[in-house]
């Protein structure tokens, strides 16, 4: 497959999964096998512009299209068929655990206490986070056009935290936005972007979308660049330790998604459970096959 098409498809999957609270962009990058390459490429963008853009450009385009085109679809699936949908995502994460485990554990050797701690600590952190009730540090106005400078600054802050979560496997940017409060506003705004196709002259629509997505995008840009540089240094100096932490975060993600509100929001029935079990197995098999040759 052409590399540009492959990066675009990776971005499309990345964008789609970012709509789901509990799904981490870093986890998706690990599942699809381009996590290390993405970190190095973005950090060397200015020095190797053309080579870096060949990866980052299609990836970014796919991510944006995934967010814009599928936000309503994923929102609908989570509203009507949350159990099978979330079980599929859980299967995707669980399927990459065995390959990552083999990557960090030498055959015939047990984990040292330090290695075990690097797995168990992030696992414990995500378990604790999954039990924290939703909070809202700032309540958005009912009409996005009425958003003022204080809330826009808050969105920049949220974007920085969400970007850091996007880079770190196991921590969901959507979950943090849900925890801090602006997640419903962001989803509604993304879902309304398509209205510009039929009402491009509406100043109010442009203002409302801009007041949400521009500050959020600024925060994502700042937070992403800072975290990418930190992660690259850690991968260079402590590659094995980083993947031990990633293993713990993957395991914690599975627990957090099972324990989240989203999975059961459309109710539980025997048909939904049966379909969900099949989706769980399908997601596991898909990511296992994708990941086993990359780790």
């Amino acid at each position: 497959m052409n590399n540009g098409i492959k990066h675009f498809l990776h971005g499309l999957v990345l964008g789609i999964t970012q709509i789901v609270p509990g799904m981490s962009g870093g986890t998706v990058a690990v599942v699809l096998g381009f996590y290390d390459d993405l970190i190095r490429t973005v950090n060397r963008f200015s020095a190797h512009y053309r080579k870096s853009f060949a990866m980052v450009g299609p990836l970014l385009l796919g991510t944006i299209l995934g967010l814009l085109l599928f936000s309503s679809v994923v929102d609908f699936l989570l509203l009507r068929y949350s159990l099978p949908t979330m079980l599929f995502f859980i299967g995707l994460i669980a399927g990459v655990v065995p390959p990552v485990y083999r990557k960090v554990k030498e055959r015939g050797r047990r984990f040292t206490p330090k290695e075990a701690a690097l797995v168990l600590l992030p696992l414990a952190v995500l378990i604790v986070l999954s039990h924290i009730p939703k909070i809202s540090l700032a309540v958005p106005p009912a009409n996005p056009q009425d958003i003022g400078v204080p809330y826009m600054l808050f969105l920049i802050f949220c974007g920085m935290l969400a970007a850091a979560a996007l880079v770190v496997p196991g921590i969901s940017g959507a979950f943090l936005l849900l925890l801090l409060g602006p997640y419903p506003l962001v989803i509604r705004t993304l879902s309304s972007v398509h209205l510009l196709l039929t009402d491009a002259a509406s100043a109010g629509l442009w203002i409302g979308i801009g007041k949400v997505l521009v500050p959020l995008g600024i925060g994502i840009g700042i937070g992403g660049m800072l975290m990418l540089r930190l992660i690259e240094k850690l991968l260079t100096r402590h590659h094995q330790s980083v993947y031990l932490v990633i293993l713990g975060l993957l395991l914690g993600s599975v627990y957090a998604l099972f324990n989240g509100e989203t999975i059961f929001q459309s109710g539980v029935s025997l048909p939904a459970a049966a379909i969900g079990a099949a989706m769980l197995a399908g997601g596991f098999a898909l990511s296992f096959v994708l990941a086993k040759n990359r780790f």
Side-chain angles (χ1 to χ4, degrees):
M1 181 187 297
N2 178 276
N3 282 336
I5 296 175
K6 181 176 70 174
H7 298 322
F8 172 79
L9 293 176
H10 285 168
L12 199 64
V13 175
L14 192 62
I16 293 169
T17 54
Q18 292 323 289
I19 303 163
V20 182
M23 282 298 291
S24 161
T27 300
V28 174
V30 170
V31 169
L32 297 178
F34 65 94
Y35 184 72
D36 290 23
D37 288 342
L38 177 62
I39 299 293
R40 287 191 293 267
T41 300
V42 173
N43 282 330
R44 288 161 175 72
F45 193 86
S46 58
H48 305 282
Y49 175 79
R50 290 186 179 180
K51 184 177 179 181
S52 298
F53 189 77
M55 177 183 185
V56 176
L59 186 74
L60 185 60
L61 177 62
T63 301
I64 293 172
L65 287 177
L67 282 168
L68 295 179
L69 297 179
F70 292 94
S71 56
S72 298
V73 175
V74 174
D75 201 32
F76 170 79
L77 289 174
L78 292 176
L79 183 64
R80 298 289 299 273
Y81 309 104
S82 62
L83 184 61
T85 302
M86 291 302 293
L87 285 175
F88 176 73
F89 288 129
I90 290 170
L92 285 176
I93 297 174
V96 80
V97 169
V100 172
Y101 176 79
R102 288 197 299 268
K103 175 184 177 71
V104 297
K105 187 178 184 300
E106 296 175 12
R107 184 173 297 177
R109 184 178 69 83
R110 294 183 178 180
F111 281 145
T112 66
K114 178 184 176 181
E115 290 170 338
L118 288 173
V119 175
L120 295 176
L121 182 59
L123 170 60
V125 168
L126 285 188
I127 290 175
V128 171
L129 283 176
S130 72
H131 288 279
I132 294 177
K134 287 188 294 184
I135 60 176
S136 182
L137 298 182
V139 179
N143 187 347
Q145 297 179 39
D146 297 330
I147 290 175
V149 173
Y151 197 82
M152 291 172 71
L153 293 174
F154 174 66
L155 285 173
I156 292 176
F157 169 72
C158 290
M160 292 175 66
L161 292 182
L166 284 172
V167 175
V168 180
I171 302 179
S172 163
F175 173 75
L176 287 181
L177 291 179
L178 187 66
L179 194 66
L180 295 173
Y183 177 77
L185 173 67
V186 173
I187 292 299
R188 285 199 308 271
T189 303
L190 287 170
S191 299
S192 69
V193 170
H194 75 277
L195 297 176
L196 292 173
L197 296 175
T198 56
D199 196 12
S202 172
L205 189 59
W206 279 102
I207 291 171
I209 291 173
K211 282 187 172 183
V212 175
L213 298 187
V214 170
L216 190 71
I218 291 171
I220 289 173
I222 296 171
M225 293 307 298
L226 292 174
M227 185 57 67
L228 282 167
R229 295 188 181 280
L230 175 60
I231 292 293
E232 185 186 28
K233 289 182 179 179
L234 292 174
L235 282 171
T236 301
R237 300 174 185 176
H238 311 284
H239 193 273
Q240 184 81 354
S241 296
V242 169
Y243 269 88
L244 284 165
V245 173
I246 287 175
L247 178 61
L249 290 170
L250 291 172
L251 293 170
S253 293
V254 171
Y255 178 89
L257 288 175
F258 263 122
N259 188 59
E261 298 177 0
T262 308
I263 189 170
F264 300 118
Q265 69 180 8
S266 65
V268 179
S269 64
L270 186 58
I275 295 171
M279 297 297 285
L280 177 68
F284 183 95
L286 177 62
S287 67
F288 181 82
V289 170
L290 288 173
K292 73 174 184 177
N293 295 322
R294 299 178 187 271
F295 295 100

